[in-house]
Amino acid sequence: MKNILDYKVLKEVADIIDRMYLLGWDERNGGNVSYLLDEEELKEYLDLNKVLRTYPLNFDASEVKGRYFLATGTGKYFRNTKNDPETNLGIFRVSEDGLNAELIWGYKDGGKSTSETYAHLMCHIQRLRVDPNHHVVIHSHPTCTLAMTHILPNDEKIFTKELWKVMTECIVVFPEGIGLLPWMQCGTYEIGVATAEKMVDRRLVVWGLHGIYGVGETIDEAFGLIETVEKAADVWLKYRQFKEINTISDENLKGIAKFYGGVPRKGYLD
Ligand code: 2HA
Ligand code: ZN
């Protein structure tokens, strides 16, 4: 059996968590990451018949029964993850009835998966319906994106268009727009449902006064979405206090999207 600490997915997840911490986006235990694993690959590293313990998921996740997830632990600090993955991360399987997590590895100090497990699993379920190659859900508290939600109204069209107009790259990276939820209690079943609903045709959802969710087939994709939003939010905050004399017009945005083959969200540029 190979050493799980050499598993490239685990290394990639630990690396991105460390990077997000260093970017200042994930203070203390803020943020969480989960990754849908490939069973055949995982078998090379762990005995999948050996369940360490189980804990309730408190909702019906049977759509992903038997699937394996690597996820950050509840209350665990991003800062500590790379140095001690076995305490700060865990790998669990969703039980056959969909109601429990069966821990296969990790959460060494008796912990369990992130307080946002509802939202993570619901986003995985939703994205798998529209993208069979989906794997990654990242939740983070990026500074400038979060600041923007204090200033703009709770309107996802306005939020998206402000960012599209900051820099040419935005409509290339997220032509489908960004979902935006007003402030809601985090960690709840309800915020999970609301987030997953927005993920039907989007890969980014901002939680007002809290943070962001990004999803993707790879870490590069999910992280790339979030870093593009955060970069644009940073630039937006830098110029919004000045008189803007140049901007990307709606016509320009349509042209950029067309050039790169993206379809801008319906109703945003019409
Ligand atoms: O505590 O980010 O949303 C981790 C979180 C909750
Ligand atoms: Zn959070």
Side-chain angles (χ1 to χ4, degrees), residues 109-122:
D109 61 356
K112 54 183 189 160
S113 46
T114 163
S115 61
E116 302 293 357
T117 298
Y118 288 124
H120 277 257
L121 287 181
M122 288 179 198

Side-chain angles (χ1 to χ4, degrees), residues 61-69 93-99:
S62 50
E63 213 169 311
V64 285
K65 69 178 178 190
R67 310 294 299 265
Y68 293 82
F69 294 92
R93 175 174 62 216
V94 174
S95 63
E96 271 307 297
D97 62 8
L99 299 175

Side-chain angles (χ1 to χ4, degrees), residues 238-253:
K238 287 188 167 98
Y239 71 66
R240 69 174 297 277
Q241 61 197 307
F242 302 106
K243 183 170 155 28
E244 188 187 17
I245 58 165
N246 299 306
T247 189
I248 306 175
S249 68
D250 282 15
E251 282 313 306
N252 294 151
L253 288 170

